[in-house]
Amino acid sequence: MRELLLPKFNNNDEGCVLVGWTVDDGAAVSADAVVAEVETAKALEELVADADGVLHRLVEAGAHCEFGRPVGLLFDSRQERDDYLASPAAAEVTTAPEGEGEDHDGGPDPILSDAARTLAQDHGIRTEQLRTLGKRVVKASDVQRLIDQRVMDQGAASAVSTDAVVVNLSPRQRAVAAVVSEAHRTIPAAFAAIAVDLTAFRATRGGAPYGLVELLVKAIAARHADFPLFFATPGADHTLTLASAANVGVTVDVGTGLFIPVLKDAARRPIADLTDDLMDFRVSARRQNFREDAFADEAITLSLHNDPDIILAAPIVHPGRTCVVTLCAERSEVALTEDGMPFARPVTTVAATYDHRYLNGRDAVRFLTAVKQDLETADAIARLAD
């Protein structure tokens, strides 16, 4: 018997809502099969089985579940599951049938997912309005329906041409909208960017098995001691908790959703280890089977916007962080030699979006300049890649 654990899909939540099971209770499932859908504050995610087995559900659809806790069990056979159900151990686990508690009868207040709660607060949706949904568990898509209905009731629909095409946002995008709204509402962000000459990187790299992403992770982590507030966690009463290690979260998006797994203690580890971890992260993102601790202890974020022709990007600072660094695409730039002769050189843009309550513009420029020097100097590159 194996526990089907709920992985930590992002660092901003303690848990999520199990929206629904995609396979029947007692059904045989294969490794990497999608068995349930869950809604976090950021997106609608798929829960994937990590082994072959016969599924036994431990929680009902619509339940709020904590990351790292089991939501089901996987047995080697149906007989093993039947034996378990007949044992005293099964009696200690309370399991409600799917759909129970969906209809609200005017009793307890409905339970809101994290994304639904944020969306309701941003748009002034009251508890009385949520009760009209008749649901025990309210998701972000339910709140969005109330918002859409209110707009229509206010006559906004009359301003839309009859020939216009109206598109509803997907549940995933609505969850993203909730997080973005929360970040813009609570974090006064500022932005700075710097150009980085990649000539030395191209010259020194040769056939080395690492890329610019890994080198930038090392350059960021190397500045942990000099710029500790960039790696801090905001707390109550304008306090900051400093990170004990340079744990760098790196965005990974292979078409299955955005994930931010963490490269732990990046300053101390060999660059080859970081390269291996990043490859593992991409595989895990495609299979959606990250380890439970993959998202833990993030201190600073590196957001990758290095698709071709992207010259500048300013992502949001997620709640709980003070800074996100951005890497843009490599491009060619015309420069002049000392005697005025034009030549082409490879460059990129490295930027920082930061919480201006804790970090000042001068410090952001100093931080970016230090990272730039490490990426442009052959000796520094060799030291980081060692």
Side-chain angles (χ1 to χ4, degrees):
M1 179 184 71
R2 295 170 57 92
E3 292 183 332
L4 179 63
L5 299 177
L6 187 65
K8 188 164 189 178
F9 290 102
N10 66 60
N11 294 328
N12 299 324
D13 302 330
E14 296 299 325
C16 60
V17 174
L18 194 146
V19 177
W21 293 94
T22 59
V23 296
D24 294 333
D25 198 15
V29 298
S30 58
D32 297 336
V34 176
V35 297
E37 290 185 332
V38 300
E39 185 182 40
T40 70
K42 292 184 62 178
L44 191 68
E45 306 286 358
E46 294 177 335
L47 177 62
V48 178
D50 57 359
D52 297 338
V54 176
L55 174 66
H56 175 65
R57 304 174 183 173
L58 293 180
V59 301
E60 65 179 32
H64 191 280
C65 308
E66 295 182 9
F67 291 141
R69 300 296 297 274
V71 295
L73 301 173
L74 293 174
F75 295 90
D76 291 335
S77 65
R78 286 188 173 87
Q79 183 61 52
E80 185 182 8
R81 178 176 180 267
D82 292 342
D83 293 342
Y84 169 80
L85 292 177
S87 69
E92 299 175 0
V93 180
T94 57
T95 306
E98 183 173 1
E100 180 174 313
E102 286 292 324
D103 295 327
H104 193 273
D105 58 2
D109 290 341
I111 300 172
L112 276 68
S113 70
D114 293 333
R117 183 178 299 103
T118 300
L119 196 59
Q121 291 173 346
D122 287 346
H123 291 271
I125 302 298
R126 302 186 303 275
T127 302
E128 293 78 14
Q129 295 170 280
L130 296 171
R131 284 178 179 154
T132 65
L133 294 168
K135 290 190 174 184
R136 185 73 183 95
V137 178
V138 175
K139 300 177 291 183
S141 56
D142 301 320
V143 179
Q144 187 63 47
R145 281 198 297 273
L146 289 176
I147 297 170
D148 295 341
Q149 185 61 48
R150 184 173 65 182
V151 171
M152 293 181 66
D153 292 344
Q154 292 173 345
S158 62
V160 180
S161 168
T162 56
D163 296 329
V165 177
V166 178
V167 178
N168 291 322
L169 293 179
S170 67
R172 181 187 295 273
Q173 191 58 42
R174 289 173 182 172
V176 170
V179 175
V180 173
S181 297
E182 177 68 11
H184 282 291
R185 185 176 67 85
T186 60
I187 299 176
F191 180 75
I194 197 166
V196 177
D197 186 345
L198 297 178
T199 302
F201 167 69
R202 292 300 173 202
T204 58
R205 183 190 175 195
Y210 65 85
L212 182 58
V213 174
E214 297 95 307
L215 189 65
L216 178 54
V217 169
K218 292 288 290 186
I220 293 170
R223 297 300 167 178
H224 175 217
D226 296 330
F227 299 91
L229 299 188
F230 285 72
F231 299 79
T233 300
D237 300 323
H238 293 90
T239 61
L240 290 170
T241 300
L242 303 183
S244 60
N247 300 327
V248 182
V250 181
T251 59
V252 177
D253 189 347
V254 294
T256 58
L258 179 67
F259 302 90
I260 311 179
V262 181
L263 293 169
K264 307 292 175 58
D265 203 8
R268 300 175 185 273
R269 297 173 58 204
I271 199 169
D273 287 357
L274 304 184
T275 301
D276 291 343
D277 280 359
L278 286 172
M279 180 58 68
D280 290 342
F281 290 162
R282 295 185 184 100
V283 173
S284 294
R286 188 168 287 109
R287 296 178 177 176
Q288 300 194 47
N289 63 347
F290 280 97
R291 300 188 314 273
E292 180 182 349
D293 64 345
F295 305 99
D297 303 323
E298 178 185 3
I300 193 171
T301 308
L302 173 58
S303 183
L304 301 181
H305 291 263
N306 51 348
D307 291 324
D309 300 328
I310 300 297
I311 60 174
L312 199 60
I316 63 170
V317 180
H318 284 96
R321 304 272 65 81
T322 60
C323 178
V324 53
V325 179
T326 306
L327 174 64
C328 298
E330 181 180 337
R331 63 189 187 275
S332 292
E333 177 182 84
V334 176
L336 299 176
T337 63
E338 292 182 358
D339 56 359
M341 297 297 295
F343 70 98
R345 63 179 182 180
V347 297
T348 190
T349 300
V350 176
T353 308
Y354 54 95
D355 190 330
H356 213 336
R357 293 173 297 180
Y358 309 107
L359 307 177
N360 295 322
R362 178 177 179 274
D363 295 323
V365 171
R366 289 175 55 238
F367 173 76
L368 288 173
T369 300
V371 171
K372 168 187 172 75
Q373 291 171 347
D374 281 349
L375 297 178
E376 290 186 341
T377 308
D379 290 344
I381 293 173
R383 183 182 69 254
L384 294 174
D386 187 8

